[in-house]
Amino acid sequence: MTVTSAVDAAEARIEATEALVSAGRTLFTRKGYRQTDFAELAEEAGLDLAQARELLPDKAAVLGALIERTVKVAGLLRPAVAEGVDEDLPARLARIYLALWEPGEEEESPLVELYRIALSDAEASRVLRGRTAEALNAMVDHELPGEDAEIRTALFGAQLSGVALVRHLIGVRAVSALDVETLIAAIAPGLRRTLLGVEGIEGTEGAA
Amino acid sequence: MTVTSAVDAAEARIEATEALVSAGRTLFTRKGYRQTDFAELAEEAGLDLAQARELLPDKAAVLGALIERTVKVAGLLRPAVAEGVDEDLPARLARIYLALWEPGEEEESPLVELYRIALSDAEASRVLRGRTAEALNAMVDHELPGEDAEIRTALFGAQLSGVALVRHLIGVRAVSALDVETLIAAIAPGLRRTLLGVEGIEGTEGAA
């Protein structure tokens, strides 16, 4: 294989994968995750089944790739964590996470429909967990002191994602109507207790 | 109409409504909420369309009735609120709410599949909001002092429901593995800050 044809083949592979992921977004939204099968995804993407399976092995992998394309998780929380573990860390994390959910140019963030898909089915939720919740938690809990850092981070993340879901998926007015900074100010004291412990981190403040 | 035939008619109506709601659970689970139409619900329930519409006017009403049948919201939080607004109120509310989500005799609580259905679609989420979140919040915020009681209650509810969703739908291990009382103890200090304000309620404690 010449260099040119190897490059062409790699590009064709990327394009075909993109088509398969786009097919996932289309069919998971239209038919639901549970009701879509892999053969339909391949057909929608214009690929034969064997070719599609070679790119992404199953429906869960297509959803995983769709999540990765929609939520850029890698390094997402790094700016918040890089400033160290201080009393303001929960608010910095909340600011980054909640910004993902705010509508930009679109009427709603792409996360809204993605979460509708992913929360509708147990397998889809497992994919979501691995690609978002567990990945985000790992960026934080490794930085925290204490044996219960993993539990505190997971509970912090659960509460923060609850705020995002109620604001953007469920739409409780009292939560949806707040501007983001007012919202963060209202939840930060409580989230600080959950993430950093009841005693806070007096005495360790400034230590990064 | 005789008394007997009036009673028979009322019973037939209740049975037909039950059949329609059961059809909702079956088809929303199998096909998804968005992909189910009202005519299919009527057919699954063995009713003609006009008869079904007279019982419950549309698909959203069927979901609403299914939610009411699954989550007994009316008076649910009364025992927690009846003890007054004190520092333990957030834990008492959390205990009642989280108990709904714990698996009993079944492998999972019926709320799990219900929330999968309701979070999969914007219209379904609006129905869920009215029947659960807003109804539950109203039982609490009317009891709380302060102009921002509605906002604090809604944020408290959002965080608590996030914990339930991450524990039971998304399944993050660090949250799922905790026993309920350990979980409540871990989130109570933070939730207290959100619900009762940063200053807590020192000075008003004991006033109900």
Side-chain angles (χ1 to χ4, degrees):
Chain A
M1 195 184 267
T2 64
V3 172
T4 310
S5 69
V7 169
D8 288 352
E11 279 179 4
R13 201 182 154 84
I14 289 167
E15 267 178 40
T17 306
E18 284 293 298
L20 197 53
V21 173
S22 292
R25 181 160 51 192
T26 302
L27 294 185
F28 296 155
T29 300
R30 190 195 305 155
K31 294 171 53 95
Y33 180 84
R34 196 178 286 177
Q35 296 77 22
T36 300
D37 65 38
F38 191 78
E40 294 171 301
L41 293 170
E43 191 187 344
E44 174 80 17
L47 304 170
D48 71 45
L49 196 54
Q51 192 185 3
R53 287 232 189 264
E54 203 253 319
L55 297 167
L56 291 165
D58 53 26
K59 183 167 77 167
V62 175
L63 178 61
L66 176 60
I67 292 171
E68 299 233 320
R69 201 170 72 167
T70 310
V71 196
K72 306 276 179 249
V73 161
L76 184 74
L77 302 179
R78 198 174 296 146
V81 173
E83 292 187 42
V85 177
D86 58 26
E87 295 282 337
D88 193 43
L89 175 62
R92 290 199 304 274
L93 293 168
R95 196 167 286 118
I96 293 173
Y97 180 75
L98 293 174
L100 295 175
W101 284 91
E102 293 299 306
E105 313 266 300
E106 314 288 323
E107 201 183 319
E108 61 183 26
S109 161
L111 262 72
V112 172
E113 189 58 33
L114 188 69
Y115 270 68
R116 285 195 188 115
I117 293 166
L119 294 176
S120 70
D121 177 81
E123 178 183 278
S125 293
R126 277 196 296 277
V127 176
L128 182 75
R129 174 179 74 209
R131 304 280 177 143
T132 65
E134 290 176 351
L136 291 169
N137 289 349
M139 286 181 220
V140 177
D141 63 20
H142 296 165
E143 306 294 326
L144 287 187
E147 280 180 18
D148 56 353
E150 187 188 354
I151 291 171
R152 284 188 280 112
T153 302
L155 290 171
F156 167 84
Q159 293 183 67
L160 190 53
S161 61
V163 170
L165 294 174
V166 164
R167 181 175 171 86
H168 297 285
L169 257 77
I170 302 179
V172 172
R173 199 197 52 78
V175 175
S176 303
L178 296 174
D179 74 87
V180 183
E181 283 301 323
T182 306
L183 174 63
I184 292 169
I187 58 178
L191 289 179
R192 194 177 292 140
R193 289 236 159 173
T194 302
L195 187 66
L196 304 176
V198 175
E199 307 303 325
I201 51 165
E202 287 91 22
T204 65
E205 198 161 5
Chain B
M1 196 183 266
T2 64
V3 172
T4 312
S5 68
V7 169
D8 287 352
E11 279 180 3
R13 201 182 154 83
I14 289 167
E15 267 180 38
T17 307
E18 284 293 298
L20 198 52
V21 173
S22 292
R25 180 161 53 192
T26 303
L27 294 185
F28 296 155
T29 301
R30 189 196 305 155
K31 294 172 53 94
Y33 179 85
R34 197 177 286 177
Q35 297 78 20
T36 300
D37 64 38
F38 190 79
E40 293 170 303
L41 293 170
E43 192 188 342
E44 174 80 17
L47 304 169
D48 71 44
L49 194 54
Q51 193 185 2
R53 286 232 190 265
E54 203 252 321
L55 297 167
L56 292 166
D58 54 26
K59 182 167 78 167
V62 175
L63 178 62
L66 176 59
I67 292 170
E68 298 232 322
R69 203 170 72 167
T70 310
V71 196
K72 306 277 179 247
V73 161
L76 184 75
L77 303 178
R78 199 173 296 147
V81 173
E83 292 187 42
V85 177
D86 58 27
E87 295 282 337
D88 192 43
L89 175 62
R92 290 198 304 272
L93 293 168
R95 195 166 288 118
I96 293 174
Y97 180 76
L98 293 175
L100 295 176
W101 286 90
E102 293 299 307
E105 312 267 301
E106 313 288 323
E107 201 183 320
E108 63 184 26
S109 162
L111 262 72
V112 172
E113 188 58 33
L114 189 69
Y115 270 69
R116 284 194 188 115
I117 292 166
L119 293 176
S120 70
D121 177 80
E123 177 183 278
S125 294
R126 276 196 295 276
V127 176
L128 182 74
R129 174 179 74 209
R131 305 279 177 144
T132 65
E134 291 176 349
L136 292 169
N137 289 350
M139 285 180 222
V140 177
D141 62 20
H142 296 165
E143 306 294 326
L144 287 186
E147 282 180 18
D148 56 353
E150 188 188 354
I151 291 171
R152 285 188 280 112
T153 302
L155 290 171
F156 166 84
Q159 293 183 67
L160 189 54
S161 61
V163 170
L165 294 174
V166 164
R167 181 173 171 87
H168 296 285
L169 258 78
I170 302 178
V172 172
R173 200 196 51 76
V175 176
S176 304
L178 295 174
D179 74 86
V180 182
E181 284 300 324
T182 306
L183 174 63
I184 292 170
I187 59 179
L191 288 179
R192 194 176 293 142
R193 290 236 159 174
T194 302
L195 187 66
L196 304 176
V198 174
E199 307 304 326
I201 51 165
E202 288 91 21
T204 65
E205 199 160 4

